[in-house]
């Protein structure tokens, strides 16, 4: 159980005043079956909210003690009224009260150990909290239920109607519950904005709010960086499957922390500038991103690292994101989870081959960036569960396949018939996880890592131009390029010939080590945001000015020989980086030497595969 502390005197983490953006946010035409009217906290028909409503995103464990019903696979929530509303807390001040309140935000219901609490005469559950003899150094707290806390918060933010699943859905009515689950994307997409309750969001240091230069992106974002760190690393909300679906369906979000708030809107559908973060560029308004909707890889880049109370919910939440693919999906917890997962992945792979757009999920030292929560289900390699999907939109722009890929329900093999394919002989990076030195010579590995980091400082930090004759392109540069684009470390590289110029080499980010691998002509086009600074505004505010288009090919390795089983089997293991090109010939940035002369997908494939990759017979690649 997580009891929430809500300080009414909140401090904004936004770099500009976003109050009017929030108040002017418009709702869509759809209304949920029921809504909560805040003025009297009454459930009313949704059509009553003429001017719109907000939708709540939270973790169930915040709203009460989760208790399993005896003999049933269902849960109850028991609210003991231990949440705190704090009045008079001056966030950002350096007095002793502010420091102690910070401790209150962390430990909440252990307040009696950390504070002097005096009951307020004539009230119930209200106290004066004082840490020093000074009369100025005090605040008041009120212990309330979760619903009382929500009602106060909604009044503070002028919210008239709220969709709160615990009340707006009859949890005992399975038919209604399943119907509402299928409409979750509509509920959040049509809300004025989503209110995300994340009590772990707070700022420890008052100094973080001080700035000497209001236009300095470093100074003004100190508090935001600190708050985001707390959210990413401490908040269960960021790791849950249902909250991912709620955010990706939303157009705007108001994050309410313990003593700070954050407003964010989608960078893709608004002419209002915003800051560059995970909400604006990657998650919000998923269905409308890049005018063509989000892609499968985007959702999986987050979903594969999320958790849920019931394993089926990982599928049901994602199916709501891709509601057009899953209109006939039955919401049933009785169906075997393996059957449910296989149906889900089979469906999305047939619709969108960006599922193959994933790379290496480990750092230099071999530790995983994120722990994949889907590994225990023995899923095929083409689902990408052994790696990490790229987090911006990917479109499959062309395939030179003999016929569309298909998947047999009985064996879950992705069958890719192709007359064009190419075998590559590749080498591992000496500073990488698959380096032959990794387990044998730590000193040599560290030496190569230091070379990599020194080069990173030259290119990324110092931003030296690559055309500088004193800076020669080398193999390490390719690993820097692919990491900057994908956030996945390069593990191997391909050099066509031993004496070929380095600019003809290409990096690969692979989940498995191998000396030989195959690339198939499934060209994946990755949309990297190209931002334009707002004239006269803070440097951290920007608007979308176009896209970097990066091109990749999926990589496969043979794992079963025909002589062993009667048929060859392959494994999807990552990405081959082809190069990049910009939208409308905009400034291409740092990696000119990876620039593609043609934006025609067929021309790109011709350059990569050439005549030696054309085969007389169709080969069916069986990807397990």
């Amino acid at each position: 159980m997580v009891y929430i502390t809500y300080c009414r005197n909140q401090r904004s983490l936004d770099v500009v005043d976003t109050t009017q953006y929030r108040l002017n946010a418009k709702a869509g035409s759809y209304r949920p079956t029921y809504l909560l009217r805040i003025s009297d906290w009454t459930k009313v028909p949704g059509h009553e909210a003429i001017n719109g409503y907000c939708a709540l995103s939270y973790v169930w464990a915040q709203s009460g003690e989760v208790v399993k019903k005896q003999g049933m696979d269902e849960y109850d929530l028991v609210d003991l009224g231990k949440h705190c509303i704090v009045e008079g807390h001056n966030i950002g001040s350096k007095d002793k009260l502010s420091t102690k309140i910070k401790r209150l935000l962390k430990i909440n219901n252990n307040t009696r150990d950390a504070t002097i609490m005096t009951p307020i005469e004539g009230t119930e559950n209200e106290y004066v909290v004082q840490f020093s003899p000074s009369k100025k150094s005090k605040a008041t707290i009120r212990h309330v239920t979760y619903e009382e806390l929500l009602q106060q918060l909604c009044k503070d933010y002028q919210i008239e109607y709220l969709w709160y699943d615990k009340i707006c859905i009859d949890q005992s009515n399975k038919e209604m519950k399943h119907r509402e689950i299928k409409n979750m994307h509509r509920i959040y997409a049509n809300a004025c904005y989503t209110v995300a309750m994340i009590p772990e969001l707070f700022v420890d240091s008052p100094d973080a709010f001080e700035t000497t230069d209001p236009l300095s992106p470093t100074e003004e974002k100190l508090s935001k960086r600190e708050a985001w760190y707390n959210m990413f690393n401490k908040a269960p909300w960021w790791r849950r499957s249902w909250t991912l679906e709620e955010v990706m369906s939303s157009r705007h979000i108001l994050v309410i922390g313990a003593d700070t708030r954050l407003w964010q809107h989608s960078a893709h559908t608004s002419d209002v500038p915003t800051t560059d973060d995970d909400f604006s560029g990657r998650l919000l308004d998923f269905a409308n991103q890049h005018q063509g909707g989000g892609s499968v890889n985007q959702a999986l880049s987050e979903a594969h690292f999320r958790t849920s109370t019931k394993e089926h919910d990982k599928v049901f939440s994602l199916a709501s994101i891709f509601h057009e693919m899953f209109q006939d999906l039955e919401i049933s917890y009785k169906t075997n989870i393996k059957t449910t997962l296989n149906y889900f992945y089979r469906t999305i792979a047939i619709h969108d081959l960006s599922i193959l757009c994933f790379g290496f999920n480990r750092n230099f030292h071999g530790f995983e960036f994120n722990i994949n929560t889907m590994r225990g289900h023995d899923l095929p390699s083409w689902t990408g569960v052994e790696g990490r999907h790229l987090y911006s939109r990917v479109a499959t722009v062309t395939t030179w396949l003999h016929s569309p890929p298909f998947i047999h329900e009985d064996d879950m093999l992705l069958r890719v018939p192709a007359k064009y394919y190419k075998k590559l002989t590749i080498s591992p990076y000496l500073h990488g996880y698959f380096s032959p030195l990794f387990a044998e010579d730590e000193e040599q590995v560290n030496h190569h890592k230091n070379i990599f980091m020194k080069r990173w400082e030259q290119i990324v930090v110092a931003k030296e131009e690559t055309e500088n004759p004193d800076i020669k392109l080398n193999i390490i540069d390719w690993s820097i390029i692919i990491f900057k684009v994908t956030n996945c470390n390069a593990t191997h590289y391909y050099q066509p010939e031993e004496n070929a110029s380095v600019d003809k080499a290409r990096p690969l980010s692979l989940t498995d080590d191998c000396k030989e691998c195959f690339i198939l002509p499934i060209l994946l086009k990755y949309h990297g945001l190209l931002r334009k600074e707002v004239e006269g505004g803070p440097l951290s505010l920007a608007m979308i000015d176009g896209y970097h288009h990066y091109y990749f090919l999926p990589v496969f390795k043979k794992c079963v020989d025909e002589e062993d089983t009667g048929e060859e089997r392959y494994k999807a293991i990552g990405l081959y980086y082809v190069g990049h090109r910009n939208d409308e010939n905009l400034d291409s940035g740092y990696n000119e030497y990876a620039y593609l002369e043609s934006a025609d997908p067929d021309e790109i494939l011709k350059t990569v595969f050439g005549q030696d990759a054309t085969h007389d017979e169709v080969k069916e690649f069986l990807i397990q």
Side-chain angles (χ1 to χ4, degrees), residues 73-74 174-182 242 310-317 319 326-344:
D73 193 23
E74 298 292 336
K174 288 188 177 180
E175 182 180 346
M176 180 187 183
K177 186 175 181 179
H178 293 170
R179 184 177 69 246
E180 293 296 276
I181 288 176
K182 284 200 168 186
W242 282 117
K310 299 178 181 179
E311 289 295 289
H312 289 73
D313 285 336
K314 294 178 182 177
V315 171
F316 298 150
S317 60
F326 294 97
Q327 293 182 14
D328 298 328
L329 175 66
E330 180 186 2
I331 305 297
S332 173
Y333 294 94
K334 294 181 181 180
T335 306
N336 178 275
I337 183 60
K338 183 67 174 176
T339 302
T340 303
L341 285 168
N342 284 354
Y343 169 70
F344 170 77

Side-chain angles (χ1 to χ4, degrees), residues 5-38:
T5 296
Y6 167 61
C7 296
R8 293 188 64 195
N9 184 20
Q10 297 223 325
R11 184 85 171 252
S12 173
L13 295 173
D14 301 313
V15 298
V16 295
D17 185 3
T18 60
T19 303
Q20 288 306 310
Y21 298 157
R22 175 171 56 81
L23 295 177
N24 293 333
K26 303 297 182 184
S29 59
Y30 176 83
R31 294 292 181 272
T33 307
Y34 293 104
L35 289 168
L36 265 174
R37 187 170 58 209
I38 301 304

Side-chain angles (χ1 to χ4, degrees), residues 77-327:
L77 291 167
V78 180
D79 192 338
L80 300 178
K82 295 183 180 179
H83 303 281
C84 288
I85 295 177
V86 180
E87 308 268 5
H89 166 47
N90 182 20
I91 177 176
S93 68
K94 297 182 180 180
D95 63 23
K96 292 181 180 179
L97 175 64
S98 181
T99 303
K100 297 295 184 180
I101 285 288
K102 291 297 182 184
R103 291 171 59 189
L104 170 63
L105 300 183
K106 293 179 181 179
I107 63 178
N108 200 331
N109 288 296
N110 294 324
T111 51
R112 292 185 183 277
D113 299 329
T115 69
I116 300 172
M117 294 176 56
T118 306
I120 298 176
E121 188 175 349
T123 66
E124 292 185 12
N125 297 322
E126 291 192 44
Y127 307 86
V128 173
V129 185
Q130 191 164 341
F131 297 92
S132 73
S134 169
K135 292 183 179 180
K136 295 180 180 179
S137 212
K138 65 181 180 181
T140 62
I141 67 169
R142 178 161 40 109
H143 283 159
V144 295
T145 64
Y146 190 72
E147 291 183 12
E148 289 171 329
L149 185 146
L150 286 179
Q151 189 175 22
Q152 180 64 67
L153 183 152
C154 288
K155 289 179 178 179
D156 290 345
Y157 286 92
Q158 302 87 44
I159 296 171
E160 296 181 342
Y161 293 90
L162 182 72
W163 189 82
Y164 173 28
D165 64 343
K166 186 179 175 183
I167 294 178
C168 297
I169 299 178
D170 182 354
Q171 300 295 325
S172 63
N173 186 333
K174 288 188 177 180
E175 182 180 346
M176 180 187 183
K177 186 175 181 179
H178 293 170
R179 184 177 69 246
E180 293 296 276
I181 288 176
K182 284 200 168 186
N183 281 320
M184 291 280 271
H185 64 283
R186 291 190 180 94
I187 292 172
Y188 285 88
N190 285 273
C192 295
Y193 56 89
T194 292
V195 179
M197 297 291 291
I198 310 180
E200 295 82 5
L201 184 76
F202 62 86
V203 177
D204 254 338
S205 171
D207 293 335
F209 286 102
E210 295 185 357
T211 173
T212 55
D213 180 359
L215 297 184
S216 166
T218 302
E219 290 290 337
E220 72 184 5
K221 292 175 71 176
L222 279 175
S223 59
K224 194 170 184 178
R225 283 204 306 271
E226 184 180 329
W228 275 78
Y229 176 84
N230 286 332
M231 182 163 57
F232 289 148
N233 292 280
K234 301 176 183 178
W237 181 91
W238 195 263
R239 298 189 293 272
R240 303 294 283 176
S241 296
W242 282 117
T243 55
L244 172 64
E245 182 267 338
E246 292 159 5
V247 172
M248 295 185 81
S249 299
S250 304
R251 293 173 299 153
H252 314 91
I253 190 167
L254 173 66
V255 178
I256 301 293
D259 58 0
T260 53
R261 68 179 182 272
L262 171 68
W263 168 267
Q264 207 66 36
H265 47 261
S266 171
H268 301 276
T269 58
S270 174
D271 57 359
V272 180
T274 186
T275 50
D276 186 5
D277 57 38
D278 287 353
F279 282 136
S280 67
R282 292 168 51 181
L283 298 178
L284 290 173
D285 209 24
F286 177 78
N288 295 313
Q289 287 188 15
H290 311 278
Q291 295 79 52
S295 54
V296 161
N297 68 284
Q298 282 179 277
L300 298 186
S301 70
E302 290 283 346
H304 276 175
F305 307 99
R306 300 278 178 139
T307 62
S308 60
T309 304
K310 299 178 181 179
E311 289 295 289
H312 289 73
D313 285 336
K314 294 178 182 177
V315 171
F316 298 150
S317 60
L318 279 171
S320 183
I321 295 174
F322 299 107
H323 54 90
E324 293 182 356
M325 298 184 197
F326 294 97
Q327 293 182 14

Side-chain angles (χ1 to χ4, degrees), residues 544-558:
I544 293 178
D545 195 37
Y547 301 93
H548 282 300
H549 292 150
Y550 303 93
Y551 293 88
F552 296 89
L553 293 168
V555 179
F556 307 90
K557 79 167 185 178
K558 187 187 295 185

Side-chain angles (χ1 to χ4, degrees), residues 355-613:
I355 194 172
L356 296 172
C357 200
F358 61 87
F360 188 56
N361 185 34
R362 293 180 183 270
N363 64 14
F364 272 147
H365 305 286
F367 298 113
E368 289 182 292
F369 288 116
N370 303 100
I371 304 299
N372 198 305
T373 60
M374 301 297 288
R375 269 208 202 112
H377 299 290
D378 191 29
L379 293 168
S381 66
W382 49 262
T383 62
V385 293
E386 293 302 321
R388 179 164 65 159
H389 284 88
L390 274 59
Y391 53 69
S392 285
R393 181 173 182 262
V394 171
T396 307
V397 289
T398 191
T399 63
W400 286 2
L401 303 179
H402 183 70
S403 58
F406 61 99
I407 303 168
H408 277 184
E409 183 177 350
D410 54 350
D411 58 18
M412 288 297 286
L413 290 175
L414 176 64
R415 299 168 186 268
V416 185
K419 289 183 71 173
Y420 297 90
Y421 51 88
K422 188 172 183 177
K423 182 165 69 173
L424 307 179
T425 300
I426 59 176
S427 304
Y429 276 98
L430 291 179
H431 61 264
Y433 178 72
F434 296 117
S435 165
L437 304 171
F438 190 83
E440 299 176 7
D441 194 333
E442 184 177 354
E443 185 176 341
Q444 278 295 310
V445 173
N446 288 333
H447 171 69
H448 288 285
K449 288 177 185 175
N450 289 334
I451 294 174
F452 173 91
M453 293 310 300
K454 185 176 180 180
R455 185 63 173 158
W456 177 276
E457 291 285 333
Q458 287 178 321
I459 293 179
V460 180
V461 180
K463 296 181 180 178
E464 296 187 37
E465 297 295 331
T466 53
E467 54 265 27
N468 186 329
D470 296 329
I471 298 180
K472 302 298 183 184
L473 178 64
N474 60 59
I475 292 296
I476 287 179
D477 290 358
W478 288 113
S479 60
I480 294 172
I481 291 166
I482 196 171
F483 182 79
K484 278 184 64 65
V485 173
T486 67
N487 272 344
C488 296
N489 274 318
T491 57
H492 299 75
Y493 62 91
Y494 166 67
Q495 207 160 1
E497 302 170 10
E498 187 176 346
N499 297 320
S501 62
V502 177
D503 65 317
K504 296 186 181 301
R506 286 297 184 269
L508 299 91
S509 182
L510 306 181
T511 60
D512 283 23
D513 189 19
C514 58
K515 294 181 180 179
E516 289 184 343
C517 61
F518 288 82
I519 52 175
L520 299 182
I522 303 171
L523 192 62
L524 303 169
K525 182 180 180 181
Y526 178 80
H527 294 69
L529 293 184
L530 191 60
R531 293 182 173 271
K532 179 181 180 181
E533 294 178 3
V534 178
E535 187 175 349
L539 298 182
S540 57
L541 276 184
M543 296 179 67
I544 293 178
D545 195 37
Y547 301 93
H548 282 300
H549 292 150
Y550 303 93
Y551 293 88
F552 296 89
L553 293 168
V555 179
F556 307 90
K557 79 167 185 178
K558 187 187 295 185
C559 55
V560 177
D561 284 322
E562 185 175 4
E563 54 207 45
D564 296 331
T565 63
E567 59 182 17
E568 292 180 348
R569 297 277 183 96
Y570 293 83
K571 184 177 181 181
I573 60 172
L575 294 172
Y576 170 95
Y577 177 59
V578 178
H580 93 279
R581 187 174 175 85
N582 283 354
D583 194 10
E584 299 177 356
N585 295 318
L586 296 169
D587 178 28
S588 61
Y590 56 88
N591 52 344
E592 287 289 344
Y593 42 79
Y595 191 72
L596 298 171
E597 293 185 4
S598 174
D600 182 344
D602 287 334
E603 290 298 321
I604 294 173
L605 286 180
K606 285 179 184 177
T607 301
V608 174
F609 284 89
Q611 294 300 317
D612 60 336

